[in-house]
Amino acid sequence: MDKNKGVQTGPRGDLKRDLEEWRSVIRHSTSHVMAQAVMNLFPGAKIAIGPPVENGFYYDFELPNNGRFSENDLGAIEKEMNRIISSDQPFEREEVTFESAKEIFSAQPFKIEIIEGVENRAENLDGLNSEVEEEGQEVSIYRNGDNFIDLCRGPHVESTGKIPAFKLLRVAASYWRGDEKRESLQRIYGTAWESKEALKSYLHLLEEAEKRDHRKLGSEMDLFHFPPEIGGGLAVFHPKGARIRMILENFSRNEHLNAGYEPVWTPHTTKSDLFEISGHLGWYKDAMYPAMELDGATYYLKPMNCPMHILIYKNRLRSYRELPLRLFELGTVYRYERSGVLHGLARVRALTQDDAHIFCARDQLESELSSLLDFVLRILKVFGLNEFDAELATRPEKFVGDIEEWDQATEALKSALIKAQIPFEVAEGEGAFYAPKIDIHLKDAIGRRWQLSTLQVDFQLPRRFELEYVGKDNERHQPYMIHRALFGSIERFYAILLEHFAGQFPTWLCTTHARVLPVRNDHEDKAYELIKRAKDRGVVMDIDEAVEPLGARVRKAKLLKLPYILVIGDEDCENDTVGVNLRGTDKPKRGVLQDDIINIIRSEIDNYKMPGDV
């Protein structure tokens, strides 16, 4: 037995990737310590898997008698973990045969299932086999302390005492292998970092993120909710929320039309034939809503818009003069996401994509991708989103098409990223079965990374649907097809913006731009005149009449996160002015001409601005 194999003692260099790898090692080691603590405190518990994840780790358990963790249990588990860490137990790796492994874990059915999956060369059990390193007829295990053994590929820190800082965060329910028909498990999430300072910074980020949670803000601001009568993952937007959504959608439509896109519209359901040709029924059926039998045919709610856009292209023979042909639709699609992954507007079952499909000739591909990437970044920057990076997802093990076409498409995507000067990493083998792709990630106001826009080059669907165009040589050729969703989905982008701005939308995205507060009842006529004058300029103001004291009304208005609060008193009535309370400041500016404030707000609407200096 080599006790040191699979042990990592620290970052191997100064690069960001090395630090992330080291954090992953710390987190994986901490998940083992957490499992050990749970086994000590809850005798008879069954352990499932405990991988590191972004910013933390989790471990899944089955407690005796269908027991459940409570938030109160976390303190006791943390205390036991600190005892284990203080005892500085070494992590010792050993390779054992399948039979020995099954004997060691005879009381752990989930570990037995993983071992048998590896032994039988089964498919990667939804990623679970990545927990195990297979060496011929052996698998790796790790021991620490007197009584804890786990099935794991490692690596780990040298000993438990090398874990610098951790915190348990919450408990949740889960299912074995993510399958709702399998065993119900209890999951504990935690985070671990390379220093107490890094942990403190991350916990502060979590506090800020909780304040910005779009689900909480959506309720407080009366924007949307998820009625249980409709079902999980299906949102309804209230009047104010729907107006913001409408502004987003109209902005998207106008920008696409100005960029040379052609608008199209397609229905929400179709016969199964379409998805059989496209391949979605073979590759994507599990994520589709169940079939409907109607008029002797099988119908599905569409999970994608692309096959229908292809039918529009194919409706007649195209000429090279029409290419590139850019089709655009705000199309609603339906995906039966498992209930465990639903998350407010960020993960829903009915989503509206700002979906575009570009049909182009092979020699147009690289330039079209470059201009498309410029378009995506320009639009996102309008929302104050300026920090981007990308992933280039390449050919997976299971794919359709010729390797030569895959290589050409991948190289075109890579060239576009380099030209746009976007830092990117290559995600080897993570492309869709039919195409390589670029995923654009952005950072929000508190530094969180969100996956957003996607660009895919596709030469398979044009082949499946036998798409053609007549070239300059008067011969028929197959076009390339680019899939592109800029916002990803309206719902997800809405959630990102709500959290990025903490509900304080830029002026142009607000449904009400200002609230007018007359100091007394005899100032109300002047307030209504201002509201009418603003309305004539397309500026929306409302009024809170002088029923309550002014201070109380100011505080109430600030809770609405409006860009401006305008106060009208005696001098304002005489001079046609207002007092201006700018959002985010505590020092009102007096004596601002009413026409001036209307012009300022109108300029912010026209130029996509946040509220600014008056």
Side-chain angles (χ1 to χ4, degrees), residues 29-273:
S29 304
T30 311
S31 78
H32 275 231
V33 170
M34 181 175 71
Q36 183 180 2
V38 168
M39 295 286 285
N40 291 346
L41 295 173
F42 298 85
K46 304 294 188 290
I47 54 177
I49 61 169
V53 294
E54 186 176 9
N55 295 324
F57 59 89
Y58 69 81
Y59 216 116
D60 287 341
F61 305 90
E62 184 179 67
L63 297 182
N65 304 315
N66 295 318
R68 296 287 184 269
F69 291 120
S70 72
E71 299 292 337
N72 294 331
D73 292 323
L74 297 185
I77 297 170
E78 279 191 351
K79 184 177 179 180
E80 178 64 9
M81 290 174 68
N82 280 317
R83 185 193 69 77
I84 295 168
I85 290 170
S86 297
S87 65
D88 198 24
Q89 302 170 6
F91 283 99
E92 299 179 347
R93 175 185 166 120
E94 183 179 352
E95 287 82 40
V96 299
T97 65
F98 292 128
E99 290 306 315
S100 295
K102 284 188 279 188
E103 185 176 340
I104 291 169
F105 293 103
S106 59
Q108 296 292 337
F110 304 112
K111 299 298 183 183
I112 294 292
E113 186 170 329
I114 295 173
I115 295 166
E116 291 177 343
V118 177
E119 185 179 20
N120 298 325
R121 303 296 191 271
E123 291 188 359
N124 187 323
L125 299 178
D126 296 330
L128 300 183
N129 286 353
S130 63
E131 291 289 294
V132 185
E133 182 159 329
E134 178 187 355
E135 298 193 356
Q137 296 299 309
E138 296 183 329
V139 292
S140 59
I141 63 173
Y142 276 82
R143 302 175 185 268
N144 59 285
D146 296 329
N147 61 355
F148 187 72
I149 306 174
D150 206 351
L151 185 69
C152 182
R153 70 188 305 173
H156 288 288
V157 296
E158 188 176 3
S159 63
T160 59
K162 303 298 184 184
I163 295 173
F166 79 94
K167 177 72 177 174
L168 300 188
L169 300 175
R170 61 188 174 92
V171 299
S174 64
Y175 292 99
W176 176 233
R177 296 201 210 172
D179 185 345
E180 296 173 9
K181 297 178 182 178
R182 294 297 305 269
E183 293 88 341
S184 177
L185 304 176
Q186 291 286 288
R187 176 173 294 179
I188 299 179
Y189 285 98
T191 188
W193 295 81
E194 70 277 9
S195 67
K196 288 181 170 57
E197 292 74 18
L199 173 63
K200 184 178 179 180
S201 295
Y202 180 68
L203 294 178
H204 175 72
L205 173 67
L206 289 185
E207 290 177 9
E208 187 64 29
E210 186 176 356
K211 295 176 189 175
R212 293 168 178 259
D213 190 317
H214 74 276
R215 297 165 297 179
K216 176 173 173 283
L217 291 172
S219 175
E220 292 175 352
M221 296 173 66
D222 193 23
L223 301 177
F224 57 83
H225 80 290
F226 292 82
E229 297 87 347
I230 294 178
L234 300 167
V236 294
F237 285 78
H238 304 182
K240 180 182 174 184
R243 284 181 177 274
I244 294 172
R245 179 180 177 129
M246 185 171 66
I247 294 169
L248 279 174
E249 291 180 348
N250 287 341
F251 169 80
S252 180
R253 287 190 183 96
N254 291 335
E255 290 296 326
H256 280 88
L257 290 174
N258 291 337
Y261 287 77
E262 299 290 343
V264 297
W265 184 92
T266 59
H268 294 236
T269 186
T270 179
K271 290 196 294 185
S272 61
D273 304 39

Side-chain angles (χ1 to χ4, degrees), residues 446-483:
I446 58 174
R448 293 173 302 177
R449 191 167 176 259
W450 298 81
Q451 191 276 317
L452 198 60
S453 306
T454 297
L455 286 73
Q456 287 181 306
V457 177
D458 187 354
F459 31 82
Q460 301 308 321
L461 287 183
R463 180 172 296 150
R464 280 175 171 265
F465 283 90
E466 299 179 341
L467 301 187
E468 295 179 327
Y469 69 92
V470 177
K472 293 180 182 179
D473 57 3
N474 211 32
E475 297 292 329
R476 297 194 179 193
H477 303 272
Q478 179 184 298
Y480 272 30
M481 179 179 178
I482 303 171
H483 303 249

